[in-house]
Amino acid sequence: MKMQLSEIARVLEVEDIPAEWNTITITSVSFDSRQMKPGALFVPLKGENDGHQFIQKAIDAQAAATLWQTDHRAIPTAIPALPVEDTLAAMQKLAKYYLHKINPQVVAVTGSNGKTTTKDMIAAVLQTQYNVTKTFANFNNEIGVPMTCLSMEPNTEVLVVEMGMDRFGQLDKLSRLVEPDIAVITMIGEAHIEFFGTRDRIADAKMEITHGLKEDGTLIYNGDEPLLRARTADLVQATKTFGLDEQTDDLAASDIQGNDHATTFKVPALTPDEFKIPMIGDYNVKNALAAIEVGKLMHIEIANIIQALKTFALTANRTEWVNGALGERILSDVYNSNPTAVKAVLHSFKEVPVEDGGRRIVVLGDMLELGEQSPELHASLAEAIDPAKIDEVYLYGNEIKPLKTKLEGMMAPQRIHYFEFGNQEQLIDDLQHDLRPEDVVLLKGSHGMHLEKVLAALNPAENED
C-alpha cells in the first residue's frame, strides 16, 4: 500500500487538514501497535481493550499518522490525527476505496469448514498466472477483511479473501464491502449452530455472500449439499457446483485414493490427468474441486492447476502431519471443530496405515457453540468412531461427555479416557505415558479448547522453533 495522508483524509471526509500533511505518505495500515511498521497509519479500535490507549506505542514505532475516534476528546498532537466518528467504519470505508483503486478481481470464500484450506488452494492455483493477495491466516471478520484489502500491493490482480461469520448480517456486510467477482461456499456444517438454531438458518446466513456478488459474477458451491441447491435456484448470477456426484455436479471427482499424507483423484469432465493434494480426506478433495472451478473460470492452464494443488502452502493447524517426540505421527487439526468436520476427518483417519504394533489414537476436544443441541451432536460422533480401527479415545471437555457415555456401549472402558475441562495437564501426562513410537494420533477440537498445547507437549522440538 502507498497513499498520501491527504488522499486518506479526503476519502474519510476529514476537512481542513494542515498543509504539511499533504507530503506525508502512508505505506501500511495497522490496528496493532505491536505489529506497527514505520510509515503506517494506526487505527485504534475499541474492543476488549481500547486501542486509543496505545497511541504512544504507535508513535514510538514510527507510525506516520493515526485515526482518532471523536468520542475520545484528547486528540494527540505528537502525530497527525484524522478525527472520525468510528475508527472501524473508517477503516472499512478506506479499504473499499483502496480496493476500487487497485481494482483486482475478487474471489470470496466462506463455509462452515474448509474455507481457509480452500482459500489457500485457490490462491496457489491463481498465483501460477496472476499477482495474488490472499487473506493472512484467518483474518476473516469485520477487521480482517478490510485489513486484507489494505495489504494489497499496487500490482495485485486478484484478491482471494476469506470470510467468516457467526451471526446474520455479517457476510452481507463483508460481501458488500469487497463486491466479489466469484463467491465460493465450501459446505454447511453446524458451526455456530448455538446462534442460528438449525442448519437451514446457517445456509441462509452463508448465502449472504452473494449479496455483494457482481451481477455478472459466479457463485461456486458444494452441489452435494441440498440446502445450498435449494437456495441458489432463484439466484440471478451464474452458478457452478462441485462435489462427488458425476450425474449432478458440474465438476465431480472420481477414483479418489489416499494414504496418510496425500490424496489423488481424477476429474473426468476436465482432463484424464490425475490431481494430487498433500492432504487426506474426501472433504479436502471437495475443497480442491472448488479451487479447480475457480481456476477454470480464471482461465488457468490445467497443468498449472495440477502443479499448484500438489505443492500449495497450507495455513498452520489445518489438518497437518507432524512428528511427536517419540516418533509417533500426529495429525493436527486444532483450529476449529464442528460435527460434520469431525466425522469427515475421523472417516479418513481410521484408514491411515499404522506400523506393526502401532495404534490409532483419537484425541477430541469440545465442539463449542452448539447450544441446546450440544449433547446430541457430541454423542453423534460415535457413529464415526470404528472400535475395530480406533484403538484409544481421549476426550477433553465438559460438552463432550455424552460421547463418552455413547462409546461405553461400543468399546471396552479402559480404551476410553475422559478428562473434564481444566484437566488438560493430566490428559497430556496420561497420553505421553501411553504413546508408542509406532502410533498415529489425531488431535481435533474447537480452538477454545487449546489442543495446540497438547500438540506442543507431544512435539516440544517444533514448539521451540
Side-chain angles (χ1 to χ4, degrees):
M1 176 187 180
K2 190 174 183 180
M3 197 182 303
Q4 297 302 115
L5 183 60
S6 56
E7 182 180 4
I8 294 174
R10 186 169 62 253
V11 172
L12 301 181
E13 302 179 50
V14 178
E15 301 177 349
D16 301 323
I17 66 171
E20 58 267 26
W21 290 10
N22 293 326
T23 62
I24 297 175
T25 300
I26 300 298
T27 54
S28 64
V29 176
S30 179
F31 61 89
D32 188 343
S33 60
R34 298 167 298 180
Q35 305 295 327
M36 190 73 59
K37 296 179 181 179
L41 173 69
F42 179 49
V43 181
L45 300 175
K46 294 176 65 176
E48 292 183 7
N49 296 311
D50 188 343
H52 292 78
Q53 63 186 305
F54 300 109
I55 183 61
Q56 187 56 52
K57 290 186 177 181
I59 294 172
D60 294 342
Q62 302 180 54
T66 185
L67 300 186
W68 200 258
Q69 198 153 297
T70 51
D71 60 0
H72 291 64
R73 295 185 179 182
I75 189 166
T77 57
I79 185 174
L82 301 179
V84 295
E85 184 175 338
D86 184 311
T87 51
L88 176 58
M91 182 174 75
Q92 293 167 344
K93 183 175 182 179
L94 180 62
K96 186 161 188 171
Y97 169 83
Y98 186 65
L99 179 62
H100 286 171
K101 183 177 181 178
I102 302 302
N103 196 30
Q105 295 190 72
V106 178
V107 181
V109 183
T110 194
S112 298
N113 197 61
K115 54 184 175 290
T116 301
T117 299
T118 305
K119 174 259 300 183
D120 290 335
M121 288 178 168
I122 291 171
V125 167
L126 298 182
Q127 281 169 351
T128 63
Q129 294 176 209
Y130 295 96
N131 292 319
V132 176
T133 295
K134 70 172 182 176
T135 297
F136 171 73
N138 68 315
F139 273 39
N140 61 19
N141 60 8
E142 292 91 341
I143 298 171
V145 170
M147 282 298 298
T148 299
C149 296
L150 291 165
S151 72
M152 287 188 297
E153 295 294 335
N155 66 347
T156 299
E157 296 172 298
V158 183
L159 176 68
V160 182
V161 58
E162 177 184 333
M163 295 181 176
M165 65 101 196
D166 58 16
R167 61 189 179 278
F168 280 112
Q170 192 170 18
L171 281 181
D172 172 81
K173 186 171 185 177
L174 296 178
S175 180
R176 294 183 190 280
L177 191 157
V178 304
E179 298 175 341
D181 298 274
I182 299 172
V184 178
I185 304 178
T186 62
M187 63 167 286
I188 303 300
E190 299 86 1
H192 311 300
I193 201 167
E194 176 181 8
F195 308 115
F196 292 100
T198 65
R199 290 181 73 250
D200 292 75
R201 287 172 60 81
I202 293 173
D204 290 337
K206 294 297 183 187
M207 284 298 296
E208 290 180 4
I209 198 172
T210 65
H211 291 185
L213 183 63
K214 292 184 176 69
E215 287 189 9
D216 60 350
T218 302
L219 171 66
I220 297 173
Y221 69 95
N222 187 337
D224 297 341
E225 174 52 75
L227 292 176
L228 289 176
R229 280 197 178 272
R231 284 159 175 76
T232 58
D234 298 325
L235 199 66
V236 298
Q237 292 91 341
T239 61
K240 294 287 184 181
T241 62
F242 61 87
L244 304 182
D245 190 332
E246 293 185 67
Q247 300 300 316
T248 60
D249 291 318
D250 295 314
L251 209 62
S254 65
D255 301 308
I256 301 173
Q257 299 181 26
N259 52 37
D260 62 348
H261 63 275
T263 305
T264 61
F265 60 96
K266 290 188 176 182
V267 185
L270 190 60
T271 175
D273 295 332
E274 185 178 77
F275 292 84
K276 183 178 182 179
I277 55 174
M279 309 179 74
I280 68 170
D282 292 3
Y283 59 101
N284 280 316
V285 171
K286 289 188 178 184
N287 295 335
L289 288 171
I292 295 168
E293 193 76 82
V294 173
K296 280 182 57 188
L297 285 176
M298 301 286 287
H299 308 292
I300 303 297
E301 296 180 8
I302 296 299
N304 288 340
I305 296 176
I306 291 173
Q307 183 60 31
L309 290 176
K310 189 183 299 183
T311 59
F312 83 99
L314 181 67
T315 297
N317 291 331
R318 266 70 175 185
T319 323
E320 60 178 343
W321 282 102
V322 298
N323 291 321
L326 298 177
E328 75 276 15
R329 292 176 298 145
I330 305 167
L331 182 59
S332 172
D333 192 353
V334 298
Y335 187 78
N336 57 27
S337 188
N338 63 67
T340 302
V342 175
K343 290 174 185 177
V345 74
L346 283 169
H347 175 73
S348 299
F349 181 74
K350 71 182 182 181
E351 303 301 334
V352 170
V354 294
E355 299 178 23
D356 289 343
R359 301 164 298 166
R360 298 184 187 92
I361 298 174
V362 170
V363 182
L364 300 177
D366 282 354
M367 302 177 293
L368 303 179
E369 299 181 351
L370 297 182
E372 294 180 355
Q373 300 180 53
S374 178
E376 176 185 353
L377 291 173
H378 277 91
S380 74
L381 299 184
E383 66 192 50
I385 297 176
D386 184 349
K389 296 184 177 182
I390 302 299
D391 297 280
E392 305 285 334
V393 178
Y394 284 73
L395 304 176
Y396 175 60
N398 299 332
E399 298 293 318
I400 206 167
K401 193 169 184 179
L403 176 58
K404 170 182 175 289
T405 303
K406 188 78 170 180
L407 289 175
E408 287 173 343
M410 300 168 49
M411 304 172 67
Q414 61 268 27
R415 295 167 60 189
I416 306 166
H417 314 266
Y418 173 68
F419 304 84
E420 293 183 347
F421 183 76
N423 290 340
Q424 191 179 84
E425 290 186 7
Q426 186 63 54
L427 182 155
I428 291 171
D429 187 65
D430 287 6
L431 183 59
Q432 287 176 323
H433 281 89
D434 186 22
L435 282 175
R436 308 168 188 166
E438 302 83 8
D439 291 337
V440 291
V441 182
L442 169 66
L443 299 178
K444 180 70 174 175
S446 288
H447 186 56
M449 301 307 293
H450 297 294
L451 292 187
E452 71 275 6
K453 295 181 180 179
V454 179
L455 177 63
L458 299 181
N459 188 11
E462 181 165 302
N463 190 47
E464 290 172 2
D465 294 341

